[in-house]
């Protein structure tokens, strides 16, 4: 047994505690770093007791710096991130669509449509009145302008969606590349005692960010790397090999391709994350409203035109088409007044006979109450009201869902924070603890020094 | 459970946002006085609000229509009352003139003539752009100064937008006994032998079967025909070329026996006119103008039998006018009832709209007060959260 070896023990203890204090220091430094997992220096005793040799030398060493986290919660967060981001983007865009279609505060198609019918009534009160004819023409123009502007607003939402999709794809590709790079680093460094902790944190963070953009599946490859794929199993990332997503604009919509299998549109596989919401809006929700609007426009134009054709204008001619749709695929965007009628108000056919009565105007005004939409169950206005109700319901649902998803996300974040987050209180106590250990080890040194002095004095 | 500082801060921020969102929602509702500010606030109410508002606009329009019908009826009523007063004076003139000298009788006859003139101007009264008593015929003075003794067929009218540039004339002897409008419409363009046409005997409301044009004379029915000159086949018809012609029964009346209609409620059209045929012609019982003219002639001729016969007719004419007046009254009453119903419905709908849309400000204000307390508490907590830390004790 040697006194010197006691000094080694003290030295090990000093070093180990200093290491532990620096780990606490890192934790304190990263108290506000998102995604940071708190770390601990795992202290282990080393050495052995040899009673017969009168030697008891047990020292301490830092075995590894471990990252404290719960793999299950992390994977739940990545999953939840896809749903939460999806519902965020969905709600935001539905609110935009709602602003366009909402008639609850007056204005909008419903009001212009009401005014249009009222003008026909006014004309039926005075079929030869220039004032009434002019008023009808300008009301009809404002109706078609409103329809066109609704359509344009919906189109611009679509354009904005395309732009967002175009913007998000490079971000997804960057994230995939980032994870591939981290995979590469892990293969190179191997799994060891905690040197890779910050890299692993970074990878988890990258996965969360990727999940917020697009729904993914991922799994451990066994060698510390992870593989990522789309929901349909198409690989996005294998080891260090990252695929890239690319886009082709197709008829006002965006098709997404994966470099893993060029030629196959993968839109259907993308149902989560921000991108999933954009695709859902662009391919399903928005076209629904555009169809409704076109449907309503077609029905309105067809019915009014048919009646107008059956009447006589102020000159005794058969009524021409009142509305003109130049692009049948885009009726609400291309509806206008027949230019011949717009140029000559006498061509408005208010009469049912050549005598100059006002019956046709009355008949056209009565279209207001005809059940023309939805298999002859709804009036035009009723259909519009249902449309307002539908976007309201969708937005309200999205809002409720968003609140729920946000709550789940908060709960999971709290869970994660509770396990992996840094608590200053805790770190301060640990600091005090390790400081005491350090002081004690120092004390051991001075004591060994004293002991050596005593021995020296004996010799002297 | 470990509680970290971040959890505390996040919970604080989350709760603060929750309170602020509620606060924002409440202040918006109070400021707008509406509980539905956008469709998603309450989708079902939003649908109702839009529908109710549409019904309210329709009710407003129906009420406006009723007002204009009532104005028309009141004009008709006062005109008829003027007519009645004129007829009242006729008796006095006749009684004073029977059996007197020729010159006195001539004065009486002149008086009758001036009554006839006043009455014609009453019968030709215009309301807005339309004659009160011309039926559905527009732009035709309903009562002519001189009666036609036989049926007449007016000149044919070609619609302004017709493609046919040839000549057309109406001809024939009308065999009907009411005033009617005959029309012809080409359904297929082309020259004679190619063009096809349809005929209407009610001014274009309904059309007969399609016929191939075979000769330049088109028979419109009841003795009315059109003769076309296409200059040797050089002038072709277009599609939907319209030719129409008025055919009249004998007498003074140039209008028709149709009425004008107005929508006064959902799917309810109301005939608001008294046409000249029922008020002034034999269709209503007595031809007023014929009677007056006959009376005038009888006075000049001092024909006692004829005078007393026509006096009976005058009495019938007065009844006829009274009947039309009371018809006006009935129609006005009908409209009044309809209007009251609409007003009642309007009130009900407004109440429903208010229920669906308007905010209960008292309740909201109470909620806002509670929310403000919570908000203040949140702020005060937020300020305190960093103050308790182990750092203060080390």
């Amino acid at each position: 047994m040697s006194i010197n070896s006691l000094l080694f023990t003290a030295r090990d203890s000093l070093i180990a505690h200093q290491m532990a204090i620096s780990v606490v220091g890192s934790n304190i430094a990263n108290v506000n770093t998102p995604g940071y997992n708190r770390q601990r220096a795992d202290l282990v005793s080393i050495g052995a007791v040899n009673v017969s040799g009168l030697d008891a030398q047990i020292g301490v060493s830092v075995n590894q710096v471990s990252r404290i986290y719960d793999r299950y919660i992390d994977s739940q967060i990545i999953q939840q991130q896809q749903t939460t981001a999806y519902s965020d983007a969905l709600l935001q865009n539905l609110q935009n669509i709602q602003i366009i279609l909402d008639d609850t505060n007056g204005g909008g198609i419903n009001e212009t449509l009401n005014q249009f019918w009222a003008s026909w009534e006014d004309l039926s009160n005075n079929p030869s009145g220039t004032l009434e004819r002019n008023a009808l023409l300008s009301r009809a123009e404002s109706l078609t302008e409103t329809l066109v502007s609704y359509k344009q607003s919906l189109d611009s939402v679509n354009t904005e969606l395309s732009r967002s999709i175009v913007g998000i794809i490079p971000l997804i590709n960057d994230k995939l590349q980032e994870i591939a790079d981290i995979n590469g680093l892990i293969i190179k460094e191997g799994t060891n005692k905690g040197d890779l902790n910050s890299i692993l944190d970074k990878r988890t963070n990258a996965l969360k960010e990727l999940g917020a953009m697009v729904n993914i599946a991922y799994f451990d490859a066994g060698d510390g790397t992870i593989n990522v794929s789309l929901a349909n199993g198409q690989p996005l990332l294998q080891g260090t090999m990252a695929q890239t997503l690319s886009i082709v604009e197709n008829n006002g919509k965006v098709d997404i391709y994966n470099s893993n299998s060029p030629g196959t549109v993968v839109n259907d596989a993308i149902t989560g994350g921000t991108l999933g919401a954009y695709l859902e809006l662009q391919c399903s929700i928005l076209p629904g409203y555009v169809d409704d609007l076109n449907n309503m426009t077609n029905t309105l134009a067809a019915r009014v035109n048919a009646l107008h054709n059956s009447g006589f204008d102020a000159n005794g001619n058969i009524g021409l088409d009142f509305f003109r749709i130049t692009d049948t695929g885009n009726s609400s965007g291309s509806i206008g007044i027949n230019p011949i009628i717009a140029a000559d108000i006498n061509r408005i056919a208010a009469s049912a006979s050549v005598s100059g009565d006002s019956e046709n105007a009355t008949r056209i005004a009565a279209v207001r109450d005809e059940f023309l939409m939805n298999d002859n169950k709804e009036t035009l206005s009723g259909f519009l009201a249902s449309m307002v109700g539908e976007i309201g319901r969708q937005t309200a649902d999205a809002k409720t869902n968003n609140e729920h998803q946000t709550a789940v996300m908060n709960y999971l974040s709290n869970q994660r924070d509770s396990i992996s987050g840094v608590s200053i209180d805790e770190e301060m106590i640990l600091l005090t603890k390790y400081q005491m250990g350090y002081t004690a080890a120092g004390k051991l040194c001075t004591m060994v020094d004293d002991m050596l002095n005593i021995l020296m004095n004996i010799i002297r | 459970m470990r509680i970290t500082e971040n959890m505390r801060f996040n919970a604080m921020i989350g709760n603060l946002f929750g309170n602020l969102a509620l606060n924002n929602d409440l202040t918006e509702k109070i400021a707008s006085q509406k509980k539905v500010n956008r469709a998603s606030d309450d989708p079902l109410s939003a649908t109702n609000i839009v529908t109710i508002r549409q019904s309210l606009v329709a009710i407003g329009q129906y009420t406006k229509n009723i007002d204009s019908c009532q104005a028309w009826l009141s004009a008709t009523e006062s005109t008829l009352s003027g007519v009645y007063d004129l007829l009242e004076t006729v008796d006095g003139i006749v009684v004073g003139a029977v059996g007197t000298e020729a010159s006195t009788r001539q004065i009486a006859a002149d008086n009758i003539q001036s009554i006839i003139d006043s009455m014609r101007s009453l019968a030709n009264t215009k309301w807005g752009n339309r004659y009160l008593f011309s039926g559905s015929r527009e732009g035709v003075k309903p009562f002519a100064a001189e009666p036609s003794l036989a049926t007449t067929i007016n000149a044919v009218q070609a619609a302004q937008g017709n493609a046919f540039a040839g000549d057309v004339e109406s001809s024939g002897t009308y065999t009907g006994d009411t005033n009617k409008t005959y029309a012809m419409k080409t359904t297929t363009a082309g020259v004679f032998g190619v063009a096809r046409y349809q005929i209407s005997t009610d001014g274009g409301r309904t059309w007969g079967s399609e016929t191939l044009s075979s000769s330049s004379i088109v028979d419109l029915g009841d003795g009315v025909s059109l003769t076309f000159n296409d200059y040797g086949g050089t002038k072709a018809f277009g599609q939907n070329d319209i030719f129409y012609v008025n055919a009249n029964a004998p007498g003074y009346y140039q209008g028709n026996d149709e009425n004008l209609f107005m929508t006064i409620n959902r799917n309810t059209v109301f005939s608001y006119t008294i046409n000249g045929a029922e008020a002034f012609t034999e269709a209503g019982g007595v031809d007023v103008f014929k009677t007056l003219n006959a009376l005038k002639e009888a006075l000049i001729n001092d024909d006692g039998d004829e005078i007393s016969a026509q006096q009976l007719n005058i009495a019938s004419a007065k009844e006829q006018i009274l009947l039309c007046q009371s018809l006006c009254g009935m129609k006005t009453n009908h409209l009044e009832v309809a209007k009251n119903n609409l007003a009642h419905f309007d009130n009900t709908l407004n109440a429903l709209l208010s229920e669906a849309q308007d905010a209960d400000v008292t309740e909201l204000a109470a909620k806002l007060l509670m929310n403000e307390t919570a908000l203040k508490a949140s702020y005060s907590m937020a300020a305190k959260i960093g103050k308790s830390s182990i750092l203060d004790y080390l």
Side-chain angles (χ1 to χ4, degrees):
Chain A
M1 173 194 164
S2 79
I3 287 180
N4 278 345
S5 64
L6 257 178
L7 271 178
F8 290 130
T9 307
R11 182 201 64 187
D12 288 351
S13 177
L14 280 172
I15 292 172
H17 281 99
Q18 190 188 331
M19 177 74 172
I21 287 172
S22 19
V23 172
V24 169
S26 325
N27 285 344
I28 293 174
N30 283 296
V31 64
N32 288 322
T33 309
Y36 177 80
N37 290 317
R38 72 191 161 103
Q39 304 187 7
R40 281 285 166 268
D42 294 343
L43 298 179
V44 287
S45 54
I46 48 170
V49 178
N50 186 347
V51 180
S52 52
L54 293 174
D55 192 4
Q57 180 157 32
I58 299 184
V60 65
S61 145
V62 174
N63 183 41
Q64 68 166 352
V65 176
S66 57
R67 177 169 161 256
I68 298 172
Y69 75 103
D70 183 329
R71 186 187 296 268
Y72 178 63
I73 286 186
D74 271 346
S75 83
Q76 268 189 316
I77 287 181
I78 294 169
Q79 287 299 322
Q80 185 57 37
Q81 195 73 271
Q82 305 172 7
T83 325
T84 309
Y86 173 88
S87 89
D88 280 346
L90 191 70
L91 176 62
Q92 200 185 349
N93 282 284
L94 278 174
Q95 281 171 338
N96 287 344
I97 301 175
Q98 180 178 238
I99 292 171
I100 301 169
L101 298 177
D102 196 354
D103 270 359
T104 350
N105 291 321
I109 302 185
N110 245 306
E111 195 162 314
T112 47
L113 194 60
N114 283 338
Q115 287 174 345
F116 176 67
W117 303 132
S119 301
W120 280 106
E121 296 269 12
D122 287 341
L123 182 62
S124 84
N125 290 348
N126 187 12
S128 53
T130 316
L131 193 69
E132 283 80 359
R133 281 171 183 266
N134 272 324
L136 169 61
L137 185 66
S138 79
R139 293 273 172 79
E141 270 164 355
S142 86
L143 172 63
T144 55
E145 279 159 14
T146 311
L147 281 167
V148 171
S149 85
Y150 267 53
K151 179 65 187 1
Q152 280 171 348
S153 305
L154 289 178
D155 283 349
S156 71
V157 171
N158 187 49
T159 316
E160 203 46 56
L161 281 170
S162 292
R163 205 171 290 158
S164 304
I165 295 172
V166 170
I168 203 172
I169 294 288
L171 299 179
I172 293 174
N173 290 338
D174 286 355
K175 276 294 157 215
L176 285 170
Q177 193 53 53
E178 186 183 330
I179 298 170
D181 291 348
I182 293 174
N183 274 348
L185 260 176
I186 289 169
I187 292 171
K188 211 169 87 188
E189 304 280 331
T191 44
N192 61 12
K193 297 183 171 177
D195 298 354
L196 292 171
N197 280 356
S198 68
I199 292 177
L200 291 173
D201 279 357
K202 219 180 245 177
R203 189 174 68 182
T204 310
N205 249 0
L207 274 173
K208 282 180 195 164
E209 285 169 28
L210 186 61
M213 294 189 278
V214 57
N215 54 327
I216 47 163
Y218 70 97
F219 54 92
D220 255 306
D223 57 354
T225 65
I226 54 165
N227 293 343
V228 179
S229 65
L230 282 172
N232 65 356
Q234 260 195 22
L236 284 174
L237 168 66
Q238 282 166 307
T240 55
M241 170 70 186
Q243 304 291 343
T244 51
L245 295 178
S246 58
I247 36 183
V248 174
E249 291 213 29
N250 171 17
N251 206 9
K253 287 181 184 148
V254 175
D255 285 343
I256 299 176
Y257 294 89
N258 182 358
S259 60
N260 177 260
S261 64
T264 315
V265 179
V266 294
N267 285 20
D268 286 349
I270 300 169
T271 54
T274 317
L275 184 58
Y278 289 156
L279 289 176
E280 167 79 6
L281 283 157
Q282 184 167 64
C283 300
S284 154
I285 295 175
L286 200 56
Y289 288 111
V290 171
D291 283 352
D292 280 353
L293 200 60
N294 282 342
N295 218 335
M296 183 256 154
T297 308
N298 278 331
T299 311
L300 169 75
R303 184 67 185 137
V304 169
N305 284 351
L307 284 172
H308 204 253
N309 291 153
S310 75
F312 296 87
D313 63 23
N315 299 335
N317 291 108
I318 297 270
L320 302 164
D321 278 353
F322 188 82
F323 290 117
R324 209 180 53 160
I325 292 169
T326 46
D327 176 4
T328 44
N330 175 23
S331 49
S332 52
S334 69
I335 189 171
I337 310 293
N338 187 335
I340 301 175
I341 294 176
D344 179 8
I345 51 168
N346 285 326
R347 303 304 296 262
I348 294 171
S351 309
S353 76
V354 288
S355 313
D357 61 297
S358 62
E359 221 174 301
N360 209 38
T362 310
R363 268 192 235 152
I364 292 177
V367 173
R368 165 174 39 206
D369 295 322
E370 286 180 11
F371 296 99
L372 297 172
M373 302 300 297
N374 190 14
D375 289 333
N376 300 331
K377 287 192 203 76
E378 266 184 315
T379 62
L380 289 165
S381 296
F383 183 76
L384 285 173
S386 309
M387 207 160 97
V388 173
E390 177 64 14
I391 181 68
R393 187 193 59 74
Q394 257 180 345
T395 314
D397 284 356
K399 203 169 166 187
T400 315
N401 184 259
N402 185 256
E403 276 161 12
H404 171 68
Q405 300 302 347
T406 312
V408 173
M409 193 67 210
N410 281 343
Y411 171 76
L412 288 175
S413 301
N414 265 348
Q415 287 286 90
R416 196 207 78 92
D417 230 34
S418 176
I419 293 165
S420 308
V422 177
S423 159
I424 290 181
D425 289 354
E426 186 187 19
E427 299 302 327
M428 292 320 287
I429 290 166
L430 285 176
L431 196 60
T432 317
K433 186 170 101 177
Y434 293 134
Q435 194 191 1
M436 282 170 80
Y438 190 86
T439 316
K443 192 77 188 164
L444 188 60
C445 279
T446 39
M447 219 200 81
V448 171
D449 187 40
D450 284 354
M451 284 165 81
L452 281 170
N453 273 338
I454 291 167
L455 274 182
M456 291 303 159
N457 282 335
I458 294 172
I459 296 165
R460 194 183 295 159
Chain B
M1 191 182 188
R2 286 178 77 244
I3 305 292
T4 67
E5 279 71 29
N6 266 329
M7 286 163 75
R8 290 161 73 193
F9 280 113
N10 285 341
M12 194 80 256
I13 292 169
N15 291 330
L16 201 58
F17 277 175
N19 281 332
L20 279 171
L22 183 61
N23 187 268
N24 188 40
D25 187 49
L26 288 169
T27 43
E28 184 190 34
K29 283 177 177 166
I30 291 177
S32 69
Q33 306 266 307
K34 284 179 187 168
K35 64 181 174 195
V36 182
N37 286 297
R38 58 191 71 74
S40 58
D41 288 347
D42 183 349
L44 201 64
S45 293
T47 313
N48 285 340
I49 289 168
V50 175
T51 314
I52 293 173
R53 202 173 281 143
Q54 192 257 332
S55 297
L56 282 173
V57 173
I59 288 177
Q61 185 62 40
Y62 295 145
T63 311
K64 204 167 147 193
N65 289 355
I66 289 180
D67 287 344
S68 113
C69 287
Q70 283 182 325
W72 178 283
L73 279 168
S74 126
T76 311
E77 211 278 332
S78 67
T79 309
L80 287 173
S81 142
V83 170
Y84 185 82
D85 291 347
L86 284 175
L87 288 174
E88 285 271 80
T89 59
V90 170
D91 268 345
I93 295 169
V94 173
V95 170
V98 171
T100 54
E101 281 175 22
S103 58
T104 321
R105 281 186 279 114
Q106 186 58 49
I107 291 170
D110 289 349
N111 276 341
I112 299 280
Q113 183 58 48
S114 71
I115 284 171
I116 293 172
D117 293 342
S118 317
M119 191 166 294
R120 189 169 49 249
S121 87
L122 279 177
N124 285 337
T125 304
K126 257 188 162 179
W127 182 251
N129 291 331
R130 300 191 74 101
Y131 293 103
L132 284 176
F133 298 108
S134 67
S136 71
R137 267 189 196 172
E138 210 204 356
V140 179
K141 238 183 203 181
F143 290 95
E146 292 301 325
S148 61
L149 298 174
T151 58
T152 50
I153 296 174
N154 292 1
V156 64
Q157 284 173 284
Q160 248 178 46
N162 285 358
F164 182 72
D167 298 334
V168 57
E169 272 175 8
S170 54
S171 58
T173 309
Y174 180 48
T175 57
D177 53 6
T178 51
N179 297 356
K180 278 170 131 183
T181 305
Y182 292 80
M184 171 192 151
K185 169 173 83 172
T186 51
T187 49
T188 313
V191 293
F192 279 110
V194 176
R196 291 173 166 275
Y197 63 88
Q198 288 177 315
I199 281 170
S200 166
T201 56
D202 53 7
R205 282 166 205 277
T206 55
W207 295 95
S209 56
E210 232 181 62
T211 317
L212 183 69
S213 58
S214 49
S215 79
S216 61
I217 295 176
V218 173
D219 181 15
L220 297 178
D222 297 326
V224 185
S225 54
L226 297 179
T227 312
F228 290 93
N229 180 1
D230 63 352
Y231 293 93
T234 57
K235 312 280 183 191
F237 291 101
Q239 198 188 2
N240 287 339
D241 279 1
I242 297 277
F243 303 93
Y244 58 98
V245 57
N246 288 337
N248 299 323
Y252 297 87
Y253 190 49
Q254 305 290 316
N256 63 15
D257 56 4
E258 289 176 354
N259 282 312
L260 297 178
F261 296 89
M262 193 87 85
T263 313
I264 59 164
N265 206 334
R266 193 170 176 151
N267 298 328
T268 309
V269 286
F270 181 77
S271 145
Y272 63 98
T273 51
I274 306 281
N275 70 56
E278 52 188 315
F280 295 101
T281 75
E282 264 158 15
V286 178
D287 187 325
V288 178
F289 289 98
K290 203 165 130 189
T291 304
L292 286 171
N293 275 303
L295 191 60
K296 185 183 80 180
E297 289 304 313
L299 272 176
I300 292 169
N301 300 334
D302 203 12
D303 180 346
D305 288 348
E306 180 65 11
I307 288 175
S308 37
Q310 295 305 338
Q311 271 179 312
L312 281 178
N313 278 345
I314 293 284
S316 312
K318 283 201 288 193
E319 267 174 38
Q320 183 176 324
I321 297 294
L322 270 181
L323 195 70
C324 289
Q325 272 183 286
S326 70
L327 206 57
C328 282
M330 272 154 59
K331 283 181 192 275
T332 311
N333 284 343
H334 184 152
L335 289 175
E336 204 53 52
V337 172
K339 199 167 158 179
N340 285 341
N341 283 340
L342 285 178
H344 180 70
F345 194 36
D346 189 82
N347 279 340
T348 315
L349 283 178
N350 269 316
L352 284 173
L353 183 64
S354 156
E355 203 169 300
Q357 178 179 261
D358 291 353
D360 181 345
V361 182
T362 325
E363 192 194 337
L364 288 176
K367 278 187 184 165
L368 186 66
L369 213 61
M370 279 160 64
N371 170 262
E372 267 172 358
T373 315
L375 199 57
K376 278 177 191 158
S378 298
Y379 284 138
S380 130
M381 278 307 296
K384 281 178 185 146
I385 194 168
K387 284 187 182 163
S388 52
S389 163
I390 194 168
L391 293 170
D392 300 340
Y393 304 95
L394 286 174

